[in-house]
Amino acid sequence: MNTARSSIRCAGCGWVAPADDAYPFRCAHADGDDVDHVLTRVLDTTAVRFPRGAEPDPFVRYRSLMHSYHLATDAGLGDDEYVQLIAALDRSVAAVDSRGFRVTPMRRNALLSDRLGFSGSGGVWVKDETGNVSGSHKGRHLMGLLIHLEVAERLGLTPAGRDTLAIASCGNAALAAAVVARAGGRRLRVFVPADADAGIVARLRRLGSDVVACPREPGVAGDPAYLRLREELAAGAVPFTCQGNENGLAIEGGETIAYEIASGGTALDHIVIQVGGGALASACAQGLREATELGAIAREPRLHTVQTTGAHPLERAYARVRALLPEGADAGRGSNAGRLRRADVERALASAAQHRSAYMWPWESEPKSIATGILDDETYDWRAVVGAMLTTGGQPLVVTEERLAEANELGTATGIPVDPTGSAGLAGLLDLRQSGAVGADERVAVLFTGVRRD
Ligand SMILES: Cc1ncc(COP(=O)(O)O)c(C=O)c1O
């Protein structure tokens, strides 16, 4: 599906979703080979401007960067009508979850900055998603998808309300999907692990979702809920997921978090992001890169990722891609040290994408951690995230349980009710401060992505 301002392309094989495809979610060639097929919304940054509006709803404020907006307005829908469509959906979200989507706070946190030994000019900036719809950032991915589905219906590309939506998740993504699907009046099936939290399952059911428990089977590698989701999608359900490999368009809604960070005016040196399936980090990487190309920020911050000692498939993939690049591929000195040339990185990633299983495969043992939201067996959006770490000179961090606990204690001491997954980025920052990779005068963002639910 193409508009003058954006297109949907497979980063693995180059396939472009055709104009009459109302579901530009998954590459048409995605099954049957070892290529890393992930659809990406490619923005023509020469044809759009970075929005400078102050609308409180990020989906309104950043609408001119969204594929659904390009699709709608190219087909003759007015800007007003598009805004009204979002406003109506947002009212429905608020009716279900007692709040709609609003730009979330981002502030320098004095307590964290002091405790981590930053100077007055440096510090820790916290982007707080704990008060976002359903208590995490996940709804951003799904609201972007819901808006797309509504636009496709409004334009007559799909029959109204016909689809069953489906997701595999053990927590925040499922809760967000249930809220957003309910707000859109759509059926949702949620595949959860057999040991999913009973409180969360009950809430999903109260929200009207059809919850399917998926036990692990001996000798079968991979997340059982995800394997069941794949079957459901093969049978025709629409992927309502927070994973770019299942629905590339999910990344776009998540990018609003990066656009908000870019609008904030703080020249960040680093951003440290916890990674499960990788959609959050992929969205941040893409959004910050676009914001840089559009002149909203001067330079992309270094992107560091955080996984746990329990499972770190992204770090494994990073090491393998890094090994494809020549020593000395370093693009710069001083503040550019460690940033690799984009062309070199793109070449290495293009080659890695032809042999996905040599870079990304399910973690062999069942991982455990207090940061339950980042225990995905695979980092589905690994390629975009590895690329961003290499071009910005960031690192894939692997943190211990002790560090996660320490970070959560520190995080909650700020008064923000963040859960251990939500504060895992801070755990990574503690490591980066200890190793000296982040200096006292530097500015660092962490994302408090999930609220404590107990
Ligand atoms: C609170 C929270 N933060 C971060 C993540 C990681 O996001 P992603 O799976 O997109 O890497 C998750 C995933 O479940 C989460 O629940």
Side-chain angles (χ1 to χ4, degrees), residues 137-138 172 242 274-280 373-374 376 419 421-422 449-450:
H137 70 284
K138 294 277 186 183
N172 287 321
C242 300
Q274 51 275 37
V275 167
L280 170 66
I374 51 173
D376 299 56
D419 79 344
T421 303
T449 45

Side-chain angles (χ1 to χ4, degrees), residues 190-406:
V190 185
F191 298 97
V192 300
D195 59 354
D197 182 277
I200 290 181
V201 169
R203 170 126 177 89
L204 292 172
R205 295 212 161 103
R206 277 200 303 280
L207 287 163
S209 304
D210 175 17
V211 183
V212 183
C214 309
R216 250 177 213 275
E217 288 178 23
V220 180
D223 176 353
Y226 180 65
L227 296 174
R228 280 289 286 113
L229 170 71
R230 291 284 327 125
E231 289 169 19
E232 189 79 3
L233 298 181
V238 168
F240 204 56
T241 71
C242 300
Q243 291 162 351
N245 61 328
E246 292 306 339
N247 193 332
L249 211 52
I251 301 302
E252 187 184 52
E255 285 189 60
T256 52
I257 198 170
Y259 299 150
E260 290 175 25
I261 291 170
S263 297
T266 304
L268 293 170
D269 300 299
H270 305 265
I271 185 166
V272 193
I273 305 181
Q274 51 275 37
V275 167
L280 170 66
S282 171
C284 287
Q286 187 170 332
L288 289 168
R289 180 174 166 189
E290 290 164 357
T292 312
E293 286 175 16
L294 293 170
I297 51 176
R299 198 170 57 157
E300 288 168 74
R302 292 180 193 273
L303 174 82
H304 309 278
T305 59
V306 179
Q307 296 189 306
T308 77
T309 48
H312 41 95
L314 179 65
E315 181 264 347
R316 200 165 58 177
Y318 171 93
R320 288 185 167 216
V321 175
R322 182 71 188 84
L324 298 177
L325 286 151
E327 280 310 318
D330 202 320
R333 296 164 188 279
S335 64
N336 277 329
R339 293 181 188 254
L340 304 194
R341 276 184 295 270
R342 194 174 299 281
D344 293 338
V345 172
E346 296 289 343
R347 214 172 305 120
L349 286 173
S351 149
Q354 302 310 306
H355 309 285
R356 182 182 194 274
S357 60
Y359 297 85
M360 183 54 60
W361 64 96
W363 198 252
E364 285 80 0
S365 55
E366 187 177 349
K368 294 232 183 318
S369 170
I370 57 167
T372 51
I374 51 173
L375 287 179
D376 299 56
D377 291 21
E378 291 186 48
T379 311
Y380 306 105
D381 287 289
W382 62 280
R383 188 153 40 93
V385 184
V386 166
M389 282 192 282
L390 291 167
T391 54
T392 65
Q395 302 178 26
L397 300 157
V398 177
V399 298
T400 62
E401 289 302 297
E402 291 73 26
R403 250 320 185 224
L404 289 165
E406 180 189 354

